[in-house]
């Protein structure tokens, strides 16, 4: 039996109440989360150094490890599988964070029901609602399944007892901030409690090879509530986001040990529940029989996914010495810059007009590639002449009026062609736009004035 030696030292300890970061001396600002005034003295820190002990399971060559036990299991929700990289991995712990009311519980209840319909046992632990309340929502969104079990628990020990008894393949905890352990001081949702709850659930998931989905709250600034350690412990961190007055919901992977983090899942949250959107462009593009001046379609990239969106502009003669500049869904300072470029570099007189520029469907466009569409929409409104139908435009516009290349030109063109568009105005680039679909015409422009020729011809 190998001998063990230990060394113990005691020093005053200070801990951040926000993220749990510790230090041996007091500081005014946390070194982990950068919060001010959250570091407090907690007592003493006991440090131990232990010699090597007997190895119970020897290390194996990586080629001898059976990788089939960690194969992806489809959830039945294609948009979620897209973000996760293929589906759920047995033993993986996934943290889903989002603002209140965004639809986290609805999404996971739908996932639980579809996974249970494959014949697997699923345990849904709710600490925020009663089992009857969850049942009502499940009936509304058609998420009732025979092997889906509900447990309304706020005690960690009771929740782990349910896991021991049922041995589910999928565990959903809604939410991790509502569970508390009787062995740890502090109220539910505190740093110590969240750390203990997460560590215990993760240990149970790894030991049983049980996939686990944790719901997490967010703070006012949009970050995940609780200690930063929580994000380090889990395997996948997803953000579920969307405007309160919009039906569109976007799911992004912030961290993913099993796949990429540059893909986005789109969902439609409506009265009947939540549905994945393979083609969400219909929410962002208006349908009019006749072409209207002041509108332009663009293609923006959400991660690796191209999405069509419509920019609309309206100009009205101003009665004030300071014309109004109003925007919705776009960065107001960038729109103001584009108005100045249009006037100074393209001869479009706008300083006497009130300008209103907005997106359709409440989508937010922050990518510089939407500059060209905004400029064309404003110029179209000024000329009171509609752009050609089935036309898209994208490209970054500089202060000199130049149109700069953007990433994914060919991918954007193919997405537009798939949705029935036939023309595109794109930035001129040394390598060109790449292979163009048959029957699709592409016009490369190097300057904003070249793009505005569309309103003259």
């Amino acid at each position: 039996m190998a001998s063990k030696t230990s060394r113990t030292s005691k020093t005053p300890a200070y801990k951040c109440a926000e993220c749990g970061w510790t230090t041996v001396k007091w500081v005014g600002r946390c070194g982990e989360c950068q919060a001010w005034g959250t570091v407090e003295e907690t007592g003493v820190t006991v440090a131990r150094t232990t010699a090597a002990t007997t190895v119970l399971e020897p290390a194996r060559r990586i080629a001898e490890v059976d990788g089939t036990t960690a194969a992806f299991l489809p959830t039945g929700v294609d948009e979620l599988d897209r973000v996760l990289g293929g589906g759920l991995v047995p033993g993986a712990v996934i943290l889903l964070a989002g603002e209140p009311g965004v639809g986290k519980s609805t999404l996971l209840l739908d996932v639980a029901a579809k996974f249970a319909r494959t014949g697997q046992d699923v345990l849904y632990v709710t600490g925020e609602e009663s089992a009857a309340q969850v049942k009502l929502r499940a009936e509304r969104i058609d998420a009732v399944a025979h092997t889906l079990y509900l447990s309304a628990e706020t005690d960690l020990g009771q929740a782990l007892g349910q896991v021991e008894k049922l041995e589910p393949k999928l565990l959903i905890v809604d939410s991790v901030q509502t569970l508390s352990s009787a062995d740890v001081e502090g109220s539910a949702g505190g740093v110590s409690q969240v750390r203990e709850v997460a560590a215990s659930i993760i240990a149970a998931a790894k030991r049983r090879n049980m996939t686990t989905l944790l719901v997490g709250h967010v703070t006012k600034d949009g970050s995940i509530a609780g200690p930063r350690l929580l994000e380090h412990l889990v395997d996948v961190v997803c953000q579920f986001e969307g405007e309160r007055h919009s039906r569109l919901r976007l799911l992004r992977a912030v961290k993913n040990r099993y796949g990429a983090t540059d893909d986005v899942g789109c969902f439609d949250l409506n009265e009947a529940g939540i549905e994945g959107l393979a083609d969400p462009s219909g929410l962002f593009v208006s349908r009019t029989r006749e072409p209207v001046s002041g509108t332009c379609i663009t293609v923006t990239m959400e991660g690796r996914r191209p999405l069509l969106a419509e920019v609309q502009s309206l100009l009205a003669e101003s009665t004030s010495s300071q014309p109004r500049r109003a925007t919705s869904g776009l960065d107001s300072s960038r729109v103001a810059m584009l108005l100045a470029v249009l006037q100074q570099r393209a001869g479009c007189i706008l300083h006497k007009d009130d300008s209103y520029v907005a997106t359709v469907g409440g989508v937010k466009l922050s990518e510089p590639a939407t500059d060209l569409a905004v400029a064309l929409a404003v110029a179209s409104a000024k000329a009171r002449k509609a752009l050609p139908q089935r036309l898209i435009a994208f490209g970054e516009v500089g202060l000199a009026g130049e149109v700069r290349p953007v990433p994914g030109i060919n991918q954007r063109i193919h997405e537009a062609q798939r949705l029935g568009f036939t023309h595109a105005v794109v930035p001129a680039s040394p390598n060109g736009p790449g292979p163009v679909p048959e029957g699709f015409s592409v016009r490369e422009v190097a300057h904003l004035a070249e793009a505005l020729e569309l309103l003259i011809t």
Side-chain angles (χ1 to χ4, degrees):
M1 190 74 176
S3 60
K4 294 191 294 182
T5 60
S6 64
R7 182 183 64 194
T8 303
S9 61
K10 296 183 178 181
T11 56
Y14 297 86
K15 180 185 293 185
C16 174
E18 290 290 331
C19 68
W21 177 73
T22 59
T23 179
V24 296
K25 64 179 181 178
W26 183 88
V27 291
R29 188 178 190 180
C30 173
E32 176 69 21
C33 67
Q34 304 301 312
W36 287 95
T38 59
V39 179
E40 302 173 350
E41 186 174 2
T42 60
V44 296
T45 298
V46 180
R48 294 183 177 89
T49 303
T50 306
T53 59
T54 303
V55 176
L56 300 178
E57 184 177 352
R60 291 179 291 171
R61 293 184 176 89
I62 189 170
E64 299 174 355
V65 177
D66 184 10
T68 58
T69 58
F72 286 107
L73 299 175
T75 63
V77 181
D78 294 338
E79 293 299 302
L80 177 60
D81 292 343
R82 175 201 291 266
V83 175
L84 296 179
L88 301 175
V89 176
V93 180
I94 302 167
L95 175 64
L96 178 65
E99 295 181 353
V102 75
K104 302 184 298 296
S105 301
T106 303
L107 173 62
L108 292 187
L109 187 58
D110 184 52
V111 171
K114 290 180 177 178
F115 194 83
R117 287 168 187 157
T118 64
Q120 306 285 354
D121 289 339
V122 179
L123 175 60
Y124 190 105
V125 178
T126 172
E128 300 182 348
E129 301 173 282
S130 66
Q133 290 173 323
V134 177
K135 172 68 180 302
L136 286 176
R137 189 170 71 252
E139 291 177 340
R140 177 174 61 85
I141 66 174
D142 190 25
V144 178
H146 181 68
T147 56
L148 173 57
Y149 297 84
L150 297 178
S151 176
E153 292 288 352
T154 57
D155 182 75
L156 176 62
Q158 292 291 328
L160 293 176
Q162 295 282 4
V163 173
E164 292 279 346
K165 182 178 180 180
L166 187 61
E167 297 185 354
K169 290 296 182 182
L170 175 63
L171 170 66
I172 297 176
V173 179
D174 186 9
S175 64
V176 68
Q177 279 89 359
T178 59
L179 291 182
S180 61
S181 172
D183 299 329
V184 178
E185 295 182 357
S187 59
V191 173
S192 300
Q193 285 288 355
V194 171
R195 184 187 294 112
E196 176 65 20
V197 168
S200 300
I201 293 176
I202 291 172
K206 301 300 182 183
R207 184 172 63 253
R208 297 177 172 277
N209 210 29
M210 171 184 64
T211 306
T212 302
L213 291 167
L214 304 177
V215 175
H217 296 164
V218 297
T219 59
K220 292 181 179 179
D221 60 357
S223 59
I224 300 175
R228 182 58 60 89
L229 180 66
L230 178 62
E231 299 177 53
H232 292 301
L233 288 175
V234 299
D235 301 305
V236 181
V237 178
C238 292
Q239 286 277 5
F240 200 46
E241 56 194 44
E243 292 294 325
R244 185 174 296 273
H245 303 293
S246 173
R247 291 167 48 183
L248 178 71
R249 298 292 185 265
L250 297 179
L251 181 66
R252 309 173 190 271
V254 181
K255 167 189 174 182
N256 191 353
R257 289 174 177 166
Y258 310 113
T261 59
D262 55 356
D263 218 333
V264 177
C266 299
F267 296 87
D268 180 17
L269 184 65
N270 51 49
E271 297 80 5
I274 192 164
E275 301 174 1
L277 292 176
D279 178 19
S281 301
L283 295 176
F284 310 140
V285 179
S286 62
R287 305 296 181 185
T288 56
R289 294 182 179 179
E290 298 295 332
V292 180
S293 63
T295 66
C296 185
I297 311 296
T298 188
V299 184
T300 183
M301 298 293 292
E302 288 287 348
R304 293 182 299 172
R305 187 172 190 174
L307 299 176
L308 265 69
E310 181 175 337
V311 178
Q312 295 184 338
S313 175
L314 177 65
L315 299 180
E317 187 176 351
S318 179
T319 59
S320 171
S321 59
Q322 294 182 339
R324 186 176 182 184
R325 303 286 187 253
T327 61
S328 176
L330 297 159
D331 182 40
S332 58
S333 60
R334 193 161 191 89
V335 171
M337 180 198 75
L338 291 172
L339 294 177
V341 172
L342 276 168
Q343 178 159 309
Q344 295 299 115
R345 305 298 184 184
C348 190
I349 306 302
L350 302 170
H351 67 276
K352 294 182 180 181
D353 295 326
D354 292 331
S355 65
Y356 305 87
V357 186
T359 59
V360 172
V363 64
K364 288 188 175 181
L365 301 179
S366 58
E367 191 185 17
T370 60
D371 288 352
L372 186 57
V374 173
L376 285 174
V378 173
S380 172
K382 181 64 177 179
R384 296 187 179 182
K385 183 179 179 181
L387 292 166
Q389 285 188 299
R390 299 183 179 180
L391 170 78
I392 63 161
F394 54 85
E396 181 182 357
V397 177
L399 293 178
E402 77 279 15
V403 181
R404 301 171 182 168
V406 295
I409 291 179
N410 192 254
Q411 188 177 0
R412 298 174 202 253
I413 290 175
H414 278 79
E415 179 68 9
Q417 188 270 339
R418 185 180 72 85
L419 296 176
F421 291 83
T422 57
H423 301 77
V425 180
V426 305
S429 61
N431 300 325
V436 178
E438 184 178 354
F440 196 94
S441 64
V442 176
R443 180 172 181 174
E444 295 186 82
V445 295
H447 194 274
L448 182 58
E450 297 179 35
L452 296 184
E453 292 176 3
L454 290 169
L455 298 171
I456 301 175
T457 57

